[in-house]
Amino acid sequence: MGAPATPIPPTPATAAPPAPPGLLAPLVGADQAAAWHGVPGVVFLDASVGAHRGAAARIPGARPFDLDGSLSDHASAVPHTMPGAAAFTEALRALGLHDTDTVVVYDAQGVYSSARAWWMLRAMGFDRVAVLDGGLPAWIAAGHPVEPVPAAYDGPRGTFTARPRPGLIVDAEAVAAALADPAAAVLDARTRERYAGTAPEPRPGLRGGHMPGSVSLPFGELQRDGGKMRPVDELRTAFGAAAGDRERLYFSCGSGVTACVLALGATLAGYRDLAVYDGSWSEWGLPSARPVATGEEPGRIL
């Protein structure tokens, strides 16, 4: 008899890609997001605005959630106004988004305008969305790849349908009612100097100061160096100092963008009864009969 045949070792099984995540926590780190990258049904959206819009690099395959373009209502007199359900549906279908997809949204600044995209999706009934903590800078710092930004998304259309949730995006009348409600707090995400009226507004024609009774909580105070959100215990401390024992929170800023960073922080801190004032100071600060206060404390009315 000849020598016994050498057994052939079994071929190692190819590791299956991770299943697409379902309902996400509001915030995801760069390494976890990278583990989901390329998984079918996971979509990355770049919500950068202003000078960061159309940055030189993006997360590979990311699609533009264009807050300076189709994802705002340009018929409005104030910037970054939430589009209606039909327009929102069309914009997201044009980006190839399906109702069954899972979304990671980021921006090139850190956690800035990405929170606005996250809140808009939730306000339109879509919950499988998380913000990339630290944004594109954190992704790059973690050693994950980037690619040049193409002119626009040119893939197949999606089947997304907006299902608006009343109360997550509110108007000036709702905020005025909240200012008179002892159970509610209106928190202002602008700098303390803009809140006090000692720094000029970046948009011409607006009055300086704040809504009487609102409380200053600059969005940057919820973040650490590098644009990442602070730990949950620190967020709870910050909101407790600003809102006391009030659980119904309304958020305002310059144009409804960084107010959503407060909404993200409050969600992480465990608050659930939240609303963003869509017009924010771009609307309230216009010359009108709406009251304006100055100074570092709430309620010093001009």
Side-chain angles (χ1 to χ4, degrees):
M1 294 180 61
T6 303
I8 299 174
T11 302
T14 302
L23 187 65
L24 299 184
L27 200 64
V28 61
D31 289 340
Q32 179 62 74
W36 294 334
H37 187 263
V39 174
V42 178
V43 176
F44 282 70
L45 297 178
D46 182 348
S48 303
V49 295
H52 296 276
R53 181 190 186 204
R58 66 168 184 176
I59 293 175
R63 307 169 195 177
F65 190 100
D66 192 0
L67 288 164
D68 290 330
S70 63
L71 269 304
S72 290
D73 180 3
H74 295 281
S76 171
V78 296
H80 299 135
T81 298
M82 182 81 172
F88 194 87
T89 293
E90 171 57 28
L92 271 294
R93 287 184 179 182
L95 289 177
L97 189 70
H98 299 287
D99 288 319
T100 54
D101 286 338
T102 297
V103 169
V104 176
V105 64
Y106 74 94
D107 65 70
Q109 198 162 341
V111 175
Y112 184 76
S113 48
S114 52
R116 171 73 178 182
W118 167 79
W119 190 254
M120 290 170 69
L121 284 161
R122 294 188 69 242
M124 287 295 183
F126 187 90
D127 286 328
R128 288 186 307 281
V129 54
V131 173
L132 175 57
D133 197 14
L136 185 62
W139 176 272
I140 293 172
H144 302 304
V146 295
E147 68 180 7
V149 175
Y153 171 75
D154 61 357
R157 287 175 60 82
T159 57
F160 173 87
T161 299
R163 298 172 176 85
R165 290 183 171 126
L168 273 70
I169 300 285
V170 297
D171 59 16
E173 286 65 36
V175 173
L179 290 165
D181 182 355
V186 178
L187 305 182
D188 190 325
R190 297 174 301 154
T191 66
R192 294 192 185 276
E193 292 78 14
R194 287 173 65 190
Y195 174 90
T198 58
E201 285 296 311
R203 298 174 181 87
L206 298 181
R207 297 172 289 172
H210 58 269
M211 291 173 271
S214 65
V215 179
S216 178
L217 182 56
F219 80 94
E221 295 185 7
L222 302 185
Q223 299 181 346
R224 301 172 285 173
D225 291 342
K228 294 183 179 180
M229 299 298 289
R230 290 189 176 278
V232 168
D233 58 341
E234 294 182 17
L235 293 173
R236 288 174 179 156
T237 297
F239 281 100
D245 60 0
R246 292 171 287 184
E247 295 287 334
R248 174 63 174 161
L249 305 183
Y250 291 72
F251 308 112
S252 180
C253 61
S255 66
V257 173
T258 58
C260 298
V261 179
L262 297 194
L264 173 62
T267 301
L268 293 168
Y271 293 85
R272 293 294 176 263
D273 197 358
L274 311 175
V276 168
Y277 174 22
D278 205 27
S280 283
W281 199 253
S282 293
E283 179 181 49
W284 193 284
L286 289 168
S288 73
R290 293 190 183 99
V292 170
T294 58
E296 296 179 358
E297 299 299 326
R300 196 174 305 165
I301 302 176
L302 286 174

